[in-house]
Amino acid sequence: MVQIAVMGYGVVGSGVVEVLTTHTDHIAKRAKEEIGIKYILDLREFPDSPFADKFTKSFDDIINDPEVRVVVEVMGGLHPAFEYSMRCMEAGKSVVTSNKELVATKGAELLKVAQEKNVNFLFEASVGGGIPIIRPISQCLAANDVIEIAGILNGTTNFILTKMIHDSMDFQDALALAQKLGYAERNPAADVEGADACRKICILASLAFGRHVYPEQVHTEGITNISLADVEYAEQWGGVVKLIGRVKQMESGKLQIIVCPMFIPRESQLANVDDVFNGIMVRGDSTGDVVFYGKGAGKLPTASAVVADVIDCVKHFKARKYLFWGEGSPDYVEDYLDDKVSMYVRAHTDNEALALGNANHLLGKINHLTRKNAPAGEIAFVTETMPERAIVEKLKKLSELGVTIENTIRIGEL
Amino acid sequence: MVQIAVMGYGVVGSGVVEVLTTHTDHIAKRAKEEIGIKYILDLREFPDSPFADKFTKSFDDIINDPEVRVVVEVMGGLHPAFEYSMRCMEAGKSVVTSNKELVATKGAELLKVAQEKNVNFLFEASVGGGIPIIRPISQCLAANDVIEIAGILNGTTNFILTKMIHDSMDFQDALALAQKLGYAERNPAADVEGADACRKICILASLAFGRHVYPEQVHTEGITNISLADVEYAEQWGGVVKLIGRVKQMESGKLQIIVCPMFIPRESQLANVDDVFNGIMVRGDSTGDVVFYGKGAGKLPTASAVVADVIDCVKHFKARKYLFWGEGSPDYVEDYLDDKVSMYVRAHTDNEALALGNANHLLGKINHLTRKNAPAGEIAFVTETMPERAIVEKLKKLSELGVTIENTIRIGEL
């Protein structure tokens, strides 16, 4: 019997306890040992819980108990999750987490201590909920060079965009529906402004390319500026608007990495990833494109990924799982303005013909888009591919010529 | 330095050698050891190969060399692949294979010897080529009960069906094109008659549900009877025709397993898996649906999956990877005629109204399908859901009433 502790009894924590207690035999068979929950750490009271005798408010109970060999960190937030995780590993306990903020911000430090102490630090559930992605990248694709990763990494924003695309709901109504259905928090900022997707692409990038990418290094845009007009233009262009996290390694070794809405072609395997689902494309030099698809969040999917990591810890007390990346550096990420991109532009003008002529003159051969019932003076087009810095400059010139730029969205040839 | 041997220098074998020699440093880093190729076994001569000094025609060189700790079996076919693999494991060497016939037919026996000898028998490349699927099922989904697996498991037939669906090519022309492009063999039987997909679903079913399912236990139909008429009716029904391998566990513990063309709804994540791509859906009780997508075959994708297994062997000489299933039994698989199904039927009659009335009378409330330019006397419909045996009997009665049944295709609500 291996004893574990669960820190945090929120949605994921209670799910972990549920999965461990409802699949006991099945899990014991896979882990080749029974797994018992010795402590559940939470500051709240759960007097009616069937696990009431396991609750503690004191982290010391866990850290001082040599019987506890694996600690599940599902508290969320950076503090005290970081300090607790560090102390557990320093005390020789393996740590499993679903906390993407923790891994995206402190991953390199935590992995270093795991290596030094010869324990495991596993975090399959931090990206893609129940979709296996950390393991496939680190193991199955071990014989590949990963060239690029791109994905729909946030279910809440994908639900909102799906409602905008398929039901012509506007952003505010779709957000309200997502909140009503429990897909979005009352304060939805972390989702709709892209921070959640940013953390996930940081984790994937760090793992795939071997050095830590920090969230503040990633240019991040959310979906709050997306209008139904943009959705209609995307359709006329031949695709859909999706919030994409994307990373590529350049020949110099630096990374191009960004989180932003993109127009992606209808034929892309990511275009049909709808509702709260996630889809992650990993491009390897040998495998070509491999796509992983499933529910990226939710109590049981996430909990089952955590438990799978716990099983892996129990099976690998002797042979530590090799999951590692080193520290990053400020110059590891290319300035996104230097990336080459083609851009969709929606603007307002008093003279459409003149504005389009100027756009064509400034931005190369533009692809003019139209939509039914567009208000007078609205124009939209897609530029040629060029460094984003050049597009920004040229759009500035265009606005000096009396054209009001209302939105820009990058084209993602995925 | 760990020494390995590669048995078979065909498409996959030469790919394995290529991946190992072009990614040497990367692989050594992942495996924490350098991996050297000591022997390549092939009866043919490759005097101009840069690896000419490694070739041998004698299996004895490999089996008698204690330095060789991992043997890659990529010869294909059952014999001598089975005997060689057995002898390698009995001699304490781990075996990695991409040979689906070997695993589907002899998996339980081989896994038993692997367990007894405490060596690895790994076969990620046997299903889905470069798509990670064996590992995710066995590890990431360890904390789930798998409920169902369904997939497009054969790229050749999927290419042919895609050409029929999108370009209205008929079967023979699409097959000829597949052969021209190198996607289909000159003798395409194993692909188009479903045997290849059958082997793969057997492997997935054995792994997910823990007991061996043998190919001869699986009712298997290929795509040779699919006509453009069926493709058009599928579209009117609201979906596409795909060759699906599918397995579900029943409450009794028995399996429902089948390989056959199915109508699947347009909204299904498998409906957009086109060309030579594979897509595999794994339904878990906690994770919900997870879909894996990518190129299911090809030299480098398959080779990179083989090499990933080699790396895993090298990392786990001490802690053997737990991949196991037991022997099956003749009564482990339910008779497919007892499975409940809804069926598309295309038929010919001299009296359409009478035939449809009879069909409605016999088969419950049918869903009548039509298509443009249907020849006179052609009818098509979808039955209600009932045991397949009942459908077969009722269609027999219908044909006794003067209706010629031309094709039937199961409805797959995936």
Side-chain angles (χ1 to χ4, degrees):
Chain A
M1 167 86 84
V2 172
Q3 296 290 0
I4 73 163
V6 178
M7 303 197 295
Y9 198 65
V11 173
V12 179
S14 60
V16 168
V17 172
E18 182 180 331
V19 170
L20 280 168
T21 50
T22 54
H23 292 66
T24 315
D25 294 350
H26 179 81
I27 288 170
K29 214 172 111 192
R30 301 279 172 136
K32 297 196 224 163
E33 288 237 38
E34 270 185 74
I35 296 176
I37 302 169
K38 189 152 181 189
Y39 302 103
I40 303 171
L41 177 70
D42 205 296
L43 295 179
R44 295 166 295 177
E45 306 271 349
F46 299 88
D48 303 327
S49 161
F51 311 105
D53 61 319
K54 298 182 189 299
F55 279 90
T56 174
K57 294 190 171 68
S58 165
F59 174 66
D60 288 343
D61 286 348
I62 295 169
I63 196 82
N64 292 328
D65 189 333
E67 249 199 343
V68 173
R69 298 194 61 190
V70 180
V71 177
V72 172
E73 187 285 299
V74 283
M75 297 185 279
L78 259 188
H79 306 286
F82 173 62
E83 292 76 14
Y84 285 5
S85 299
M86 281 297 235
R87 286 181 59 194
C88 286
M89 291 195 290
E90 280 161 358
K93 302 176 196 304
S94 288
V95 170
V96 171
T97 185
S98 64
N99 185 336
K100 46 197 157 280
E101 189 179 357
L102 178 69
V103 183
T105 315
K106 300 286 189 182
E109 277 179 74
L110 290 157
L111 287 165
K112 188 157 170 269
V113 171
Q115 196 182 41
E116 285 165 7
K117 294 291 170 181
N118 202 30
V119 295
N120 278 304
F121 178 68
L122 301 181
F123 45 87
E124 180 62 67
S126 67
V127 182
I131 311 172
I133 180 74
I134 300 294
R135 245 184 220 84
I137 288 184
S138 68
Q139 293 191 341
C140 303
L141 305 181
N144 266 269
D145 283 335
V146 174
I147 295 165
E148 179 177 354
I149 298 176
I152 294 169
L153 300 166
N154 178 272
T156 308
T157 47
N158 202 42
F159 176 84
I160 292 171
L161 290 173
T162 301
K163 288 292 153 193
M164 293 176 74
I165 294 164
H166 291 307
D167 302 339
S168 300
M169 240 182 230
D170 71 18
F171 173 77
Q172 287 303 338
D173 290 347
L175 171 59
L177 179 61
Q179 286 171 320
K180 195 179 145 197
L181 293 171
Y183 297 151
E185 312 270 334
R186 216 163 339 149
N187 177 353
D191 289 320
V192 299
E193 289 170 8
D196 178 79
C198 174
R199 288 169 186 153
K200 293 169 179 166
I201 196 70
C202 283
I203 296 171
L204 296 175
S206 301
L207 182 67
F209 300 110
R211 293 179 62 202
H212 200 125
V213 182
Y214 299 93
E216 61 271 21
Q217 294 181 287
V218 180
H219 179 73
T220 300
E221 298 173 17
I223 63 164
T224 51
N225 289 331
I226 307 291
S227 70
L228 287 176
D230 301 321
V231 168
E232 287 173 29
Y233 283 122
E235 189 179 355
Q236 208 236 330
W237 172 78
V240 287
V241 186
K242 292 286 184 188
L243 181 66
I244 300 290
R246 181 178 188 175
V247 60
K248 280 197 255 196
Q249 191 162 37
M250 302 164 66
E251 281 192 24
S252 65
K254 285 193 186 190
L255 302 187
Q256 289 186 344
I257 181 166
I258 197 164
V259 172
C260 63
M262 289 185 188
F263 278 17
I264 62 170
R266 206 167 285 131
E267 302 73 37
S268 161
Q269 276 299 317
L270 297 180
N272 292 298
V273 174
D274 281 335
D275 297 319
V276 294
F277 285 84
N278 286 194
I280 304 167
M281 184 275 290
V282 180
R283 182 166 291 162
D285 65 342
S286 300
T287 53
D289 292 2
V290 177
V291 178
F292 303 84
Y293 164 94
K295 275 205 176 136
K299 177 176 174 167
L300 291 181
T302 307
S304 77
V306 170
V307 173
D309 273 351
V310 172
I311 294 173
D312 233 13
C313 282
V314 170
K315 284 164 65 182
H316 290 93
F317 283 131
K318 283 171 201 156
R320 205 175 63 84
K321 299 292 286 185
Y322 192 64
L323 213 58
F324 193 76
W325 63 74
E327 280 295 337
S329 62
D331 65 350
Y332 185 36
V333 170
E334 180 87 352
D335 185 338
Y336 76 99
L337 289 170
D338 292 329
D339 296 348
K340 283 190 178 172
V341 68
S342 157
M343 190 78 84
Y344 151 85
V345 179
R346 176 168 54 82
H348 189 274
T349 171
D350 291 335
N351 186 330
E352 294 180 29
L354 180 65
L356 287 167
N358 282 332
N360 220 21
H361 177 68
L362 284 164
L363 286 148
K365 201 174 147 40
I366 60 165
N367 172 10
H368 179 208
L369 301 177
T370 56
R371 63 171 181 135
K372 273 187 202 161
N373 307 318
E378 183 180 270
I379 58 169
F381 56 87
V382 173
T383 72
E384 285 190 353
T385 301
M386 59 188 90
E388 183 157 340
R389 195 182 302 282
I391 294 180
V392 171
E393 280 163 19
K394 286 160 199 274
L395 288 179
K396 197 171 159 222
K397 280 192 193 143
L398 194 63
S399 65
E400 286 161 6
L401 294 169
V403 178
T404 312
I405 309 299
E406 293 182 326
N407 204 6
T408 57
I409 299 176
R410 293 170 190 80
I411 304 296
E413 291 296 351
L414 300 176
Chain B
M1 168 84 85
V2 172
Q3 295 290 359
I4 73 165
V6 178
M7 302 197 294
Y9 198 66
V11 174
V12 179
S14 59
V16 168
V17 173
E18 182 180 332
V19 170
L20 280 169
T21 49
T22 54
H23 291 67
T24 315
D25 293 348
H26 179 82
I27 288 170
K29 213 173 112 193
R30 303 277 172 137
K32 299 197 225 164
E33 288 237 39
E34 269 185 74
I35 296 176
I37 301 169
K38 189 153 181 187
Y39 302 103
I40 303 171
L41 178 69
D42 205 296
L43 296 179
R44 296 166 295 177
E45 307 269 349
F46 298 89
D48 302 327
S49 161
F51 311 105
D53 59 320
K54 299 182 189 300
F55 279 91
T56 173
K57 294 190 172 66
S58 165
F59 174 68
D60 288 342
D61 287 346
I62 295 169
I63 195 80
N64 292 329
D65 188 334
E67 249 200 340
V68 173
R69 300 195 59 191
V70 181
V71 178
V72 172
E73 186 285 297
V74 282
M75 295 185 281
L78 261 188
H79 304 287
F82 173 63
E83 292 76 13
Y84 284 5
S85 299
M86 282 297 234
R87 286 181 61 195
C88 285
M89 291 196 289
E90 280 162 357
K93 303 177 196 301
S94 288
V95 171
V96 170
T97 185
S98 64
N99 184 336
K100 47 197 157 278
E101 188 178 358
L102 177 68
V103 183
T105 315
K106 299 286 189 183
E109 276 180 75
L110 290 158
L111 287 164
K112 187 155 171 271
V113 171
Q115 196 182 40
E116 287 165 5
K117 294 292 171 183
N118 201 31
V119 295
N120 278 303
F121 178 68
L122 301 180
F123 44 88
E124 179 63 67
S126 67
V127 182
I131 310 172
I133 181 74
I134 300 293
R135 245 185 221 86
I137 288 184
S138 67
Q139 293 192 341
C140 303
L141 305 180
N144 267 270
D145 283 337
V146 174
I147 295 165
E148 178 177 355
I149 299 175
I152 294 169
L153 300 166
N154 178 273
T156 307
T157 47
N158 203 41
F159 176 84
I160 292 170
L161 290 173
T162 301
K163 288 290 154 195
M164 293 176 74
I165 293 164
H166 292 307
D167 302 339
S168 300
M169 242 184 228
D170 70 18
F171 173 78
Q172 286 304 338
D173 289 348
L175 171 59
L177 179 61
Q179 287 171 318
K180 196 179 145 195
L181 294 171
Y183 298 150
E185 311 270 334
R186 215 161 343 149
N187 177 354
D191 289 319
V192 300
E193 289 170 10
D196 177 79
C198 174
R199 287 168 186 155
K200 291 170 181 166
I201 197 70
C202 284
I203 296 171
L204 296 175
S206 302
L207 181 67
F209 300 109
R211 293 179 61 201
H212 201 126
V213 182
Y214 299 92
E216 60 271 22
Q217 294 181 286
V218 180
H219 179 73
T220 300
E221 298 174 16
I223 63 164
T224 51
N225 289 333
I226 307 293
S227 70
L228 286 176
D230 301 321
V231 168
E232 287 173 28
Y233 283 121
E235 189 179 355
Q236 208 237 330
W237 171 78
V240 287
V241 186
K242 292 286 183 187
L243 181 67
I244 301 289
R246 182 179 188 175
V247 61
K248 279 197 256 196
Q249 190 162 36
M250 301 164 69
E251 280 190 24
S252 65
K254 284 194 186 188
L255 302 188
Q256 289 186 343
I257 181 167
I258 198 165
V259 172
C260 64
M262 289 185 188
F263 277 18
I264 62 171
R266 208 167 284 134
E267 301 74 36
S268 161
Q269 277 298 317
L270 297 181
N272 293 298
V273 174
D274 281 334
D275 297 318
V276 292
F277 285 84
N278 285 196
I280 303 167
M281 185 275 289
V282 181
R283 182 167 291 163
D285 66 342
S286 300
T287 53
D289 292 1
V290 178
V291 178
F292 303 83
Y293 164 93
K295 274 204 178 142
K299 175 176 174 167
L300 289 182
T302 307
S304 77
V306 169
V307 172
D309 274 350
V310 172
I311 293 173
D312 233 13
C313 283
V314 169
K315 284 165 63 183
H316 291 93
F317 281 132
K318 284 170 202 161
R320 206 174 62 84
K321 299 294 286 184
Y322 191 65
L323 212 60
F324 193 75
W325 63 73
E327 279 295 338
S329 63
D331 65 350
Y332 184 37
V333 171
E334 178 87 352
D335 186 337
Y336 76 99
L337 288 171
D338 292 329
D339 296 348
K340 282 189 179 173
V341 69
S342 158
M343 190 79 84
Y344 152 85
V345 179
R346 177 167 54 83
H348 190 273
T349 171
D350 290 336
N351 186 331
E352 294 181 28
L354 180 65
L356 287 168
N358 282 331
N360 220 21
H361 177 70
L362 283 164
L363 286 147
K365 201 175 145 41
I366 61 165
N367 171 10
H368 179 206
L369 301 178
T370 56
R371 62 171 181 134
K372 274 188 200 160
N373 308 320
E378 182 181 270
I379 58 168
F381 56 87
V382 173
T383 72
E384 284 190 351
T385 300
M386 60 186 89
E388 182 156 341
R389 195 181 304 281
I391 294 179
V392 171
E393 280 165 17
K394 286 160 198 275
L395 288 180
K396 196 171 160 224
K397 279 191 194 145
L398 193 63
S399 66
E400 287 162 5
L401 294 169
V403 178
T404 311
I405 309 298
E406 293 182 326
N407 203 6
T408 58
I409 300 177
R410 293 170 190 81
I411 306 295
E413 291 297 350
L414 299 178

